[in-house]
Amino acid sequence: MSTGHPVLLFWQPKSDYLRLLSNSKFGRPILIFLNYVIWVFFFYLSYLLIKADFVNFWRLFFAVIMAEIIERLIKKKIFWRRPMFLRHDQTPPGLVDSWYRSGAFPSGHTVKATFFFLFLIQYPIFSLPLFLIISLSLLFFRVLVGFHYPIDLLGGFIIGFIIWLPCHLINLSTFMDPFLKFIFNTIFLIN
């Protein structure tokens, strides 16, 4: 992208890894797996955080709601298209096309990875180095295949931090807590 933007913020590899993976028999399943596995990881971390302290249910609930609203509002603006479309690639089968047709900024994966990391600092229920290895690998993969630019990740980091600021202070207890705890404990077979 030679539009006067700082090169590093809009860096993309010279090779089209998305096309390479999309046209490979084993590449397509790998692409889909690496795109969605982070959500399974975040679900697992949610389970651990809620199990550690039930008030984390409300913290995560509000953080996720805020993240989705902010991300969708900003992406409607479409500051720039995803790099994959500048290469004339198509959204790979197995991925939701409408999610990729919006703007690239910010990275929603990074928004959520950021506030999960900050919650994990508060509640050390998972290895922080392992979290960083898993998350940063998956986020770098998204830049490598052209779903995002590095600036999208930087924006996601800032937004994730801003979302965490009020959410980590939530100390809400509602009349619904016994019911929600019962559901949580039943689903996860906790006595």
Side-chain angles (χ1 to χ4, degrees):
M1 198 172 218
S2 60
T3 59
H5 298 298
V7 176
L8 184 59
L9 295 177
F10 288 90
W11 176 85
Q12 280 291 288
K14 295 198 185 309
S15 298
D16 188 346
Y17 292 110
L18 180 61
R19 186 167 293 162
L20 180 72
L21 287 169
S22 294
N23 293 329
S24 162
K25 178 180 177 183
F26 297 110
R28 271 184 249 139
I30 290 170
L31 182 64
I32 291 168
F33 174 78
L34 290 176
N35 188 63
Y36 292 122
V37 71
I38 199 163
W39 303 117
V40 174
F41 181 51
F42 290 159
F43 181 79
Y44 174 66
L45 294 175
S46 297
Y47 160 75
L48 293 177
L49 286 164
I50 294 167
K51 187 176 175 192
D53 185 352
F54 193 75
V55 77
N56 285 327
F57 171 85
W58 294 110
R59 292 175 179 152
L60 292 169
F61 176 79
F62 287 112
V64 169
I65 296 295
M66 287 173 62
E68 288 299 314
I69 290 169
I70 291 168
E71 179 188 350
R72 289 179 196 279
L73 288 174
I74 294 174
K75 282 187 175 182
K76 278 185 178 180
K77 175 83 170 112
I78 305 182
F79 291 101
W80 45 80
R81 296 192 68 197
R82 293 179 187 268
M84 62 188 255
F85 294 125
L86 297 177
R87 293 183 177 149
H88 304 291
D89 288 339
Q90 298 299 313
T91 305
L95 302 182
V96 181
D97 186 56
S98 63
W99 292 352
Y100 289 86
R101 293 287 168 191
S102 62
F105 183 85
S107 163
H109 287 72
T110 307
V111 169
K112 290 156 189 89
T114 300
F115 66 69
F116 268 102
F117 178 74
L118 294 168
F119 282 126
L120 291 175
I121 290 173
Q122 282 181 273
Y123 292 89
I125 46 104
F126 191 84
S127 165
L128 291 177
L130 182 57
F131 175 88
L132 289 173
I133 289 168
I134 293 169
S135 296
L136 293 176
S137 298
L138 293 170
L139 295 173
F140 178 71
F141 168 77
R142 295 181 61 75
V143 171
L144 202 61
V145 296
F147 293 160
H148 286 292
Y149 293 106
I151 193 169
D152 303 332
L153 275 58
L154 179 61
F157 170 76
I158 292 167
I159 292 167
F161 178 75
I162 290 169
I163 288 171
W164 173 80
L165 283 172
C167 290
H168 89 281
L169 298 173
I170 292 172
N171 198 1
L172 184 65
S173 182
T174 71
F175 69 93
M176 294 174 46
D177 283 1
F179 177 68
L180 293 171
K181 284 180 186 176
F182 172 76
I183 292 172
F184 179 79
N185 291 343
T186 303
I187 290 172
F188 294 108
L189 306 172
I190 299 172
N191 297 337

